[in-house]
Amino acid sequence: METLVSSCGHVDTLIGDQRGPFFGPVAHGFACGAHIPIHNAHVWNALVDPADAGQETRDSLRESWGIGGPEEWREQVDYLLAGENVGPETDHLLHLRRDVIGRYGRCDLPMWRDAIARWAQWRGVTPEEARQYNADAGVITRYEARFRADGLLPPGG
């Protein structure tokens, strides 16, 4: 078990099942969604039967995602697969990056953070919110780098 502290100060816990896979395609699949069990201090590399999910898991899905039954579950999965389940903050960040790419043909993290700072100043965003946007841009960049390294995104994707 390892404790991880995110850039926004949230404490996450990495727990692995010794019987579960740590390498190979199954582990790779588990790792793609590992942020959720890590955030909830659950095992990241073991199959869990949703029918056996405890009340805590059902409560968490209801509170975090508005999922109270199979219909809501299917709706959220469809949204995720269509890329439509991005919060407004992340949507703003990605829009800013698309603007920078449109202007300069590229956007590295320093360019993105500069655009965030200018946008935050123009919108009157609080310094704390601006710091969080910058931290989130770093997280997105790291996730994308990891996805490229794992072949989930093409080079430059």
Side-chain angles (χ1 to χ4, degrees):
M1 185 166 69
E2 182 177 343
T3 301
L4 310 164
V5 179
S6 71
S7 61
C8 61
H10 179 79
V11 176
D12 291 325
T13 305
L14 176 63
I15 303 170
D17 184 335
Q18 292 180 358
R19 297 165 297 180
F22 287 92
F23 304 98
V26 175
H28 179 93
F30 279 133
C32 289
H35 59 287
I36 296 170
I38 289 170
H39 182 73
N40 295 309
H42 295 140
V43 174
W44 73 271
N45 66 337
L47 285 176
V48 176
D49 185 347
D52 293 336
Q55 189 61 43
E56 176 186 351
T57 300
R58 288 190 293 278
D59 290 344
S60 175
L61 286 171
R62 185 174 293 109
E63 291 169 20
S64 299
W65 292 80
I67 296 173
E71 298 81 23
E72 291 93 353
W73 175 263
R74 182 74 245 167
E75 184 178 314
Q76 290 299 327
V77 168
D78 290 342
Y79 286 150
L80 287 168
L81 292 173
E84 297 173 357
N85 219 352
V86 176
E89 297 84 4
T90 303
D91 196 43
H92 287 310
L93 289 174
L94 296 174
H95 182 73
L96 283 169
R97 184 170 68 175
R98 281 190 299 273
D99 284 350
V100 171
I101 292 170
R103 287 185 190 146
Y104 304 106
R106 66 183 185 88
C107 182
D108 59 20
L109 187 55
M111 292 172 76
W112 194 8
R113 286 187 167 152
D114 181 60
I116 291 168
R118 286 185 279 117
W119 173 84
Q121 184 178 18
W122 175 70
R123 293 290 302 215
V125 170
T126 67
E128 178 56 37
E129 289 173 313
R131 279 191 292 278
Q132 185 59 55
Y133 280 125
N134 272 296
D136 291 346
V139 170
I140 291 168
T141 302
R142 287 189 299 278
Y143 270 87
E144 289 172 338
R146 184 71 254 167
F147 289 166
R148 280 190 291 281
D150 290 342
L152 297 171
L153 283 176

